């Protein structure tokens, strides 16, 4: 396996939360319902959503930042162990296939008012 691309992104949590409040429907345009909810069914917090948004930006960067990628074609989900994973479909899966990507690694973090994500595309 080799590294095809690496992406990193950060999101200021307070600013991201304000954008979600100011723009009705924004969360539904960026995230799948499964990303918006915790396993308990409660709504996911802003810091967690900001980290997922950063991951989606990082995915795009790892794929060369082409235009036309749909936000909801990259889904961040979490294994029972707590390890985040990426599931790609549609436009994101097509771009990944064009580049020979076999899988992704993702790391999420949030602290001191900033959410961050790193994505490695491997082929």
């Amino acid at each position: 396996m080799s590294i095809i691309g690496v992406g990193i992104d950060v999101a200021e949590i307070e600013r991201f939360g304000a954008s979600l409040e100011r723009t009705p429907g924004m969360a539904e345009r960026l995230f799948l319902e499964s990303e918006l909810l915790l396993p308990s069914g409660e709504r996911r917090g802003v810091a967690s959503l900001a980290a997922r948004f950063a991951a989606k930006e990082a995915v795009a960067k790892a794929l060369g930042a082409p235009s036309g990628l749909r936000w909801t074609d990259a889904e961040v989900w979490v294994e029972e162990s707590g390890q985040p994973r990426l599931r790609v479909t549609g436009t994101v899966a097509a771009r990944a296939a064009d580049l020979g990507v076999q899988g992704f690694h993702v790391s999420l973090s949030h602290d001191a008012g900033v959410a961050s994500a790193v994505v490695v595309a491997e082929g």
Side-chain angles (χ1 to χ4, degrees):
M1 291 285 192
S2 63
I3 295 175
I4 292 176
V6 177
I8 185 170
D9 196 69
V10 298
E12 186 181 343
I13 296 168
E14 187 175 320
R15 182 174 166 205
F16 183 76
S19 293
L20 289 177
E21 286 181 21
R22 186 175 55 250
T23 310
M26 180 177 166
E28 288 73 20
R29 286 192 302 274
L30 295 175
F31 304 106
L32 296 170
E33 184 175 338
S34 60
E35 294 175 296
L36 292 171
L37 301 176
L38 294 166
S40 66
E42 292 179 68
R43 179 99 173 182
R44 193 172 292 281
V46 174
S48 180
L49 290 176
R52 281 157 174 72
F53 175 73
K56 291 169 185 263
E57 288 277 2
V59 168
K61 291 174 182 178
L63 296 177
S67 61
L69 298 181
R70 293 188 60 223
W71 293 108
T72 54
D73 286 348
E75 176 188 8
V76 178
W77 61 280
V78 180
E79 291 184 343
E80 283 187 31
S81 66
Q83 183 175 1
R85 297 286 188 189
L86 282 172
R87 182 177 297 123
V88 298
T89 58
T91 59
V92 177
R95 174 63 177 176
D98 288 346
L99 295 173
V101 174
Q102 301 282 318
F104 293 94
H105 302 274
V106 61
S107 180
L108 309 174
S109 186
H110 47 80
D111 188 29
V114 176
S116 62
V118 174
V119 171
V120 176
E122 189 174 59

